[in-house]
Amino acid sequence: NFLMESISPPEDTYIDDQNKEKVIYVGANLPLDLVARQLKPRPKLLYWFLYQVFTRKPEIYVKFPTTAVPPNSITDLHRIQFSLFVEFAEENGSGRNTDAASFTEVDRETPFMAFLKAALPHAGVQPENVRQMLESHRGSRIDSPVFARELAFVIEKFGRGTEEDAKEILDLYLRGLQNLYLAVSFAERSKKHTGILWDILVNYCTSPPAPDDAE
């Protein structure tokens, strides 16, 4: 609690676009970027710290109420936090969705998903780089649950909108997450490719399960 109460924006943050005045945080005297720099040699602790800032002080990290353009010091931290999310995926629960009960909690976001939704619009983390890294981390198996939901989100919101993208998203929901609800929801909102997606869904639901891939 003391640490979060003492965290302040970096020096280049919170310039009022109209009045060109800095917002002063009473009692806060630990610049966010300075603390992150001190924790850099301890990546696990840095991951914890940035996640605490993201969830408990979003107004100095992802919301920016007084400026339209986030400062470089913040977007640099977004890139660092993205890499840390990938590095610690197995520990923070973002990389896999192996809890069968979670298939019924379709609106529950992973911490990684929440971060991507908040950070990607600020352009510190580039969608094409996110997609490339997540696909690389997943490997060649479409039925892997690793980052399946996060990758589907990135492709849908920031992809090219092609039929190939739509099929990949559907496969991620059907075979990666094994979540029919999310697959149907995507097919319903994907107006451009709805015909082919529903054909795939019907075929998936009426075909016998495929044998597991050979080890």
Side-chain angles (χ1 to χ4, degrees):
N1 288 337
F2 171 78
L3 179 59
M4 287 299 106
E5 290 171 1
S6 301
I7 289 298
S8 62
E11 284 295 320
D12 57 346
T13 310
Y14 280 88
I15 301 297
D16 188 290
D17 286 339
Q18 294 182 345
N19 301 321
K20 301 302 180 183
E21 295 179 353
K22 290 187 178 182
V23 176
I24 304 300
Y25 276 66
V26 177
N29 55 11
L30 291 176
L32 168 59
D33 55 335
L34 177 60
V35 176
R37 198 176 307 125
Q38 294 296 317
L39 295 177
K40 188 175 180 179
R42 304 179 65 183
K44 200 167 188 179
L45 189 56
L46 176 58
Y47 164 74
W48 173 86
F49 169 71
L50 291 177
Y51 185 69
Q52 294 303 309
V53 174
F54 168 59
T55 56
R56 298 175 60 181
K57 300 200 77 169
E59 71 277 7
I60 71 170
Y61 194 54
V62 290
K63 291 193 174 178
F64 311 109
T66 61
T67 181
V69 181
N72 291 335
S73 55
I74 291 291
T75 53
D76 287 346
L77 290 177
H78 288 174
R79 285 188 286 272
I80 292 170
Q81 188 171 7
F82 167 70
S83 297
L84 292 172
F85 262 116
V86 175
E87 181 177 353
F88 296 114
E90 300 302 324
E91 297 181 26
N92 65 41
S94 295
R96 292 183 178 273
N97 184 353
T98 56
D99 180 3
S102 69
F103 294 153
T104 61
E105 300 171 13
V106 294
D107 293 327
R108 187 180 69 181
E109 289 184 344
T110 65
F112 194 15
M113 174 77 84
F115 170 75
L116 290 174
K117 286 184 176 181
L120 280 169
H122 299 304
V125 182
Q126 296 297 321
E128 58 270 21
N129 294 337
V130 173
R131 179 174 181 175
Q132 182 179 18
M133 184 173 288
L134 296 187
E135 287 180 336
S136 174
H137 200 82
R138 283 173 50 79
S140 59
R141 292 191 58 180
I142 190 63
D143 59 346
S144 169
V146 175
F147 296 133
R149 190 169 185 184
E150 290 84 359
L151 180 56
F153 163 75
V154 171
I155 297 173
E156 181 177 358
K157 297 300 182 184
F158 301 96
R160 295 164 296 178
T162 62
E163 182 177 307
E164 290 72 21
D165 276 356
K167 288 179 178 179
E168 183 174 354
I169 294 167
L170 195 67
D171 268 348
L172 287 165
Y173 286 139
L174 285 177
R175 301 175 61 189
L177 290 175
Q178 299 180 25
N179 194 311
L180 188 59
Y181 182 95
L182 290 176
V184 170
S185 296
F186 171 66
E188 288 178 340
R189 65 179 179 268
S190 182
K191 305 300 182 183
K192 183 178 179 181
H193 305 294
T194 186
I196 186 64
L197 295 180
W198 278 106
D199 287 344
I200 295 172
L201 275 168
V202 170
N203 183 66
Y204 177 87
C205 294
T206 57
S207 299
D212 293 338
D213 293 336
E215 297 295 334

